[in-house]
Amino acid sequence: MCEEGYIKRDITFVTPLFPNPVSVAGEMFGNFSGQVTRRWPRDDLGDWLGDTFRTLKSYFFFEFGDLMNAVYIAICLVVLKLIFDFILLKRIPKWFKLDKESSAKFPESSWSCCIYFIGWVWDLYNIVYNRKSLFFDLSSHWKYWKPGMEVEPELYWLLMFQLGAYMHFLFTTIFVSTKRKDFSILVTHHLVTIALILWAYGVRYHYVGLLVLFLHDIGDVLLEFGKTVIYFKEMDGQKYPKIENIANGLFATFIFSWFLCRLYWFPMKVMYSTTVACVLVCSEGAFYLPFNILLFLLYCMQVYWTYFIVKLLVKVLLRGDLEDNREYDVEKRQKERKKMK
């Protein structure tokens, strides 16, 4: 159970597969607003920040060795990407005689697809074989919580892999990949995700972190795989409609997973747990405000990207043109501006 002094009620907080979004949203908003009113500093903000920092030092268990494990994984992934780019990923477009633009984009999408797929399969393993109740019994996220509690080795290394993977994505987004319209949002997303994984492991909210990763990684797998496939719709100047149809099917599956996992299940399962179930099981709910603010920021970014997805969907339905709206890169825009001048 929660550490003595923190347990509030020994309850089972079970939710159905498809919770009622209206009632859940109302309960989340009411509970969160009440907690904000109770927890927000009314007098001295400096004292409140000082108390929060002291509490963080007492509750945050992230050793230097943990950080180095994640950094080593990030470095290995960056090196592996460069090696695979050289020996395979940049050669495949030449073998299939893809056009110049598709050849430039294929290595990035195919590599990202592989990393996300490894992460999602590992997420699935941890949930199906170790923590089957996480998705339905939200109280199981908190019943056994205590500061510095031991994390199962398979879950620990998953979190270190995911942390290293997002460090590597952050590095490649800034220094390697083509900069696109949503560059700043993408960098912010990677930073928020890194902060959430650090926080989830450090204060032992790792079961919540596992559920967040599980709901998010499947969409990234489908998106990157679909983008990888669409680059082969034209080879050696000849178009292949069947390949484009496969990409369209993957895009439809991606849209379904996006709305189900990120826009529906994420607030219904994860945010419902961190705003409501948390304080029902553990009386204090340490770091309630900062953790929920990070989750809310992550959800806002999903809503922002939904605009691009809907825009792309309309484009496909009207013109049959499947191209990521973000693919309008900065260099291309600068060239077009020079031509206009």
Side-chain angles (χ1 to χ4, degrees):
M1 299 302 168
C2 294
E3 187 182 29
E4 186 177 356
Y6 288 93
I7 187 169
K8 188 175 183 179
R9 282 191 292 173
D10 185 8
I11 63 171
T12 301
F13 196 85
V14 177
T15 59
L17 182 62
F18 298 105
N20 185 327
V22 177
S23 61
V24 169
E27 191 174 356
M28 285 170 54
F29 178 78
N31 199 74
F32 182 72
S33 59
Q35 291 294 327
V36 169
T37 302
R38 185 173 75 85
R39 296 167 184 266
W40 199 258
R42 293 181 176 82
D43 299 319
D44 193 325
L45 179 61
D47 289 344
W48 180 79
L49 290 173
D51 291 340
T52 301
F53 181 74
R54 284 188 290 272
T55 304
L56 180 61
K57 287 180 64 177
S58 302
Y59 282 62
F60 194 80
F61 290 82
F62 193 90
E63 304 294 335
F64 180 74
D66 300 325
L67 177 62
M68 292 311 300
N69 286 334
V71 171
Y72 289 147
I73 290 171
I75 294 173
C76 287
L77 289 176
V78 171
V79 173
L80 283 173
K81 182 185 187 312
L82 296 174
I83 293 174
F84 273 86
D85 279 353
F86 178 74
I87 66 175
L88 182 64
L89 298 182
K90 289 187 176 181
R91 296 174 184 246
I92 290 177
K94 296 179 181 179
W95 297 341
F96 289 89
K97 298 180 180 180
L98 304 185
D99 59 58
K100 185 177 179 180
E101 188 174 357
S102 296
S103 298
K105 295 174 182 176
F106 172 81
E108 179 185 343
S109 293
S110 56
W111 175 256
S112 297
C113 180
C114 292
I115 299 300
Y116 286 128
F117 180 74
I118 293 170
W120 186 76
V121 170
W122 206 341
D123 300 337
L124 184 64
Y125 168 79
N126 272 277
I127 287 181
V128 172
Y129 288 97
N130 293 328
R131 289 288 172 181
K132 295 181 180 179
S133 62
L134 286 181
F135 196 77
F136 296 99
D137 182 10
L138 305 187
S139 58
S140 66
H141 302 170
W142 312 103
K143 278 185 177 180
Y144 305 97
W145 176 84
K146 66 177 181 179
M149 65 184 288
E150 184 178 355
V151 180
E152 301 94 322
E154 58 271 21
L155 181 50
Y156 169 82
W157 285 109
L158 167 63
L159 293 173
M160 293 303 106
F161 172 80
Q162 293 279 16
L163 184 58
Y166 277 99
M167 288 178 176
H168 132 273
F169 280 133
L170 180 63
F171 177 84
T172 55
T173 298
I174 296 174
F175 299 105
V176 180
S177 302
T178 302
K179 291 180 174 57
R180 301 187 171 93
K181 286 192 296 185
D182 67 341
F183 171 78
S184 58
I185 294 293
L186 194 58
V187 170
T188 303
H189 171 269
H190 293 336
L191 289 171
V192 169
T193 304
I194 289 170
L196 277 170
I197 296 174
L198 279 169
W199 198 289
Y201 174 73
V203 299
R204 299 305 190 260
Y205 289 178
H206 45 278
Y207 294 138
V208 176
L210 172 60
L211 196 54
V212 172
L213 292 168
F214 173 73
L215 292 175
H216 283 69
D217 284 348
I218 183 60
D220 291 321
V221 173
L222 292 169
L223 175 62
E224 298 299 341
F225 185 48
K227 288 164 64 177
T228 301
V229 170
I230 198 64
Y231 298 144
F232 291 86
K233 70 178 181 180
E234 185 175 338
M235 294 179 280
D236 197 18
Q238 183 177 350
K239 293 186 177 181
Y240 292 84
K242 289 184 179 180
I243 292 180
E244 189 168 5
N245 291 336
I246 294 173
N248 287 337
L250 288 168
F251 175 62
T253 308
F254 161 71
I255 290 179
F256 176 78
S257 73
W258 181 277
F259 281 90
L260 178 64
C261 295
R262 297 200 183 200
L263 298 185
Y264 176 70
W265 271 338
F266 178 67
M268 295 297 102
K269 297 292 185 176
V270 175
M271 298 178 73
Y272 194 32
S273 172
T274 58
T275 57
V276 178
C278 171
V279 291
L280 289 177
V281 177
C282 295
S283 58
E284 284 300 314
F287 312 113
Y288 181 94
L289 289 183
F291 194 62
N292 278 294
I293 288 171
L294 283 173
L295 290 174
F296 181 72
L297 284 174
L298 185 60
Y299 190 67
C300 286
M301 283 184 279
Q302 315 305 336
V303 174
Y304 170 81
W305 274 315
T306 302
Y307 162 76
F308 290 103
I309 293 171
V310 172
K311 187 176 178 181
L312 181 56
L313 177 61
V314 172
K315 193 175 181 181
V316 171
L317 293 175
L318 295 180
R319 295 189 291 174
D321 184 10
L322 181 57
E323 182 179 353
D324 192 343
N325 291 286
R326 303 176 309 114
E327 299 293 303
Y328 188 82
D329 59 70
V330 174
E331 291 179 3
K332 187 187 296 184
R333 181 166 53 192
Q334 289 174 344
K335 289 179 181 178
E336 290 183 359
R337 284 178 177 174
K338 288 180 179 178
K339 290 180 180 179
M340 292 175 65
K341 292 180 179 178

